[in-house]
Amino acid sequence: MLSKVFSFGLLGIDAYPIEIEVDISNGLPALTLVGLADTAIRESKERVRSAIKNSGFNWPIGRITVSLAPSDIKKEGAAFDLAIALGILSATGQLNSKSIKEYHILGELSLDGSLRPIRGTLPICIAMSKSAKDILIPVQNAKEAAVVSGISVWPLKTLKEAVEFLNDPGILKPFRIESKDSLQNDPEYHLDFSEVKGQYLAKRAIEISVSGGHNILMVGPPGSGKTMLAKRIPTIMPNLTIQEALEVTKIHSIMGTLPKNTGLMNLRPFRNPHHSISSVALVGGGSEPKPGEISLSHQGVLFLDELPEFNRSCLESLRQPMEDGSIHVSRVKQSCVFPASFMLVSAMNPCPCGTLGQHKNPCRCSTTQIARYHSKISGPLLDRIDIHIEVPAARYQELSSNLPAESSAQIKERVNRTRVIQRERFKNEGILSNALMSHKQVRKFCVLGKEEGELLKMAMTELNFSARAYDKILKVSRTIADLAGSDSIKAEHLSEAIQYRSLDRDFFV
């Protein structure tokens, strides 16, 4: 007998429909899988056989052929176990073969017939919402699947429950949840800026950076608080919108980094890869392209600590995604575009020993060592970082002070006000923050007066800034003006922005 079951596969961060055909004929007992199945799918024959037997059903005696169409696309993962098992039971008349065609079926089987969660539920449901079919899914993935409107989600715990449901659909009710209910209004963080003593200039620069979505580089000696500051940046970032949460959840669902029993991710991602990371792990790729760290930090923070210790090729591979907000990964078999709109936060020591510029603890590095250390970071990459700041060692008076520091909630309130101004400004421009302005938009929204124009002219001449730096200064100036509630960019706003581009003239020479 022949039966057909419908499912979905993943290709990059998108999903595509799969038709699973099961044919049982006379012959020596065997189960053959065709359709470019990977090892996990080929091993499913053992899981499916044990699950069917242990669930109290009969395993057919004969030759079983399972075809996964389209046959020219490689399939990955164990998400087809349930569909294959139900296809076999349908072909042998152990369940209602008519009702099975009304659903898309996904789930990994345990040997005892229970269902295990799968990856990529959200992108599958987004793709599936274009069709009229409902979805049978493991109960652990129900919240994630239900955030997509227009489909009915039927959560299941076991293979036996799936068979009972298909024979009598009235025994279960679909699982429903509102997308907005999956997002907390105020996400809870265990870190707070009030825990950081001193470093007022660094906090100010970080506030500007988050308000406009600007990349930032912190340079300072070991123990000055660079990492401490970076880890608290998500606590002052605006809450994720529904659309942003869907984008973030989609990527983390595919990579299996989504927290258990989660509908939508409500926290901005914070990724902190070790400096030994490879280029493929950072930007994405592989023979079957998968998102990298820059995509996992989409709509969040990518923190690169000890920046000069990263492989040069890794750092250079960031240049295009930092400009475009996405990464195009091309391989012989396929090409994928992964979103990568992240805020780059980087930190480094001023020299190999870390004490350059300190009078009481003189630097022990030679000029050659310092030059070699700084040369690990290319000029084009530095040029793409909007704000460069120095984070000096904290003084004893600041560390021992009991004066209350400004909390993340207070800083976030100002950041949110600034983002509201930007959303209103760019409502017809297709962007949300100052950092994303094109050159044309910079000309439109960053108009300078005569005094401000002369100031920028002098800075460009004296400090030899690039054309990209010119735009970066204007973007940061626009953000500083927004924080001050000013409609126009004034000289003091421009002067502060220029200061944030001047640090490399002292360190990177």
Side-chain angles (χ1 to χ4, degrees), residues 122 183 240-250 264-265:
L122 182 61
L183 287 176
L240 287 168
T241 64
I242 292 291
Q243 184 58 40
E244 289 173 338
L246 285 169
E247 293 174 3
V248 172
T249 305
K250 184 177 179 180
L264 288 176
M265 285 188 66

Side-chain angles (χ1 to χ4, degrees), residues 266-433:
N266 62 346
L267 299 179
R268 296 267 178 184
F270 180 87
R271 306 294 297 184
N272 182 14
H274 190 260
H275 58 73
S276 60
I277 191 172
S278 66
S279 297
V280 171
L282 184 62
V283 302
S287 57
E288 303 294 334
K290 293 288 188 296
E293 288 291 334
I294 63 172
S295 295
L296 288 170
S297 58
H298 179 62
Q299 301 295 355
V301 174
L302 176 64
F303 177 45
L304 301 184
D305 202 2
E306 305 296 344
L307 188 65
E309 301 301 329
F310 282 80
N311 187 286
R312 179 70 176 260
S313 62
C314 284
L315 296 180
E316 295 306 301
S317 65
L318 292 174
R319 287 158 57 176
Q320 180 259 330
M322 287 171 67
E323 292 287 319
D324 298 343
S326 62
I327 177 73
H328 195 129
V329 179
S330 297
R331 295 294 181 265
V332 173
K333 295 180 181 179
Q334 66 183 86
S335 296
C336 295
V337 178
F338 300 133
S341 181
F342 58 90
M343 176 181 163
L344 176 65
V345 178
S346 50
M348 62 176 288
N349 297 326
C351 66
C353 76
T355 60
L356 180 65
Q358 296 190 46
H359 301 294
K360 294 183 179 180
N361 189 13
C363 176
R364 303 186 302 273
C365 306
S366 67
T367 305
T368 303
Q369 288 175 314
I370 295 173
R372 187 183 301 118
Y373 183 73
H374 291 169
S375 68
K376 293 181 180 179
I377 307 172
S378 70
L381 179 63
L382 277 175
D383 214 28
R384 286 169 167 82
I385 300 177
D386 311 54
I387 297 175
H388 309 160
I389 59 167
E390 183 179 2
V391 183
R395 297 176 297 176
Y396 172 77
Q397 292 85 346
E398 294 172 335
L399 295 175
S400 60
S401 173
N402 291 322
L403 293 175
E406 200 171 29
S407 68
S408 293
Q410 292 172 299
I411 302 173
K412 184 176 181 177
E413 186 178 349
R414 294 195 296 269
V415 170
N416 284 335
R417 278 202 308 267
T418 308
R419 286 296 183 106
V420 169
I421 294 172
Q422 293 172 56
R423 283 199 298 270
E424 182 63 26
R425 175 186 298 130
F426 302 128
K427 62 183 178 182
N428 297 320
E429 301 291 333
I431 60 174
L432 295 174
S433 64

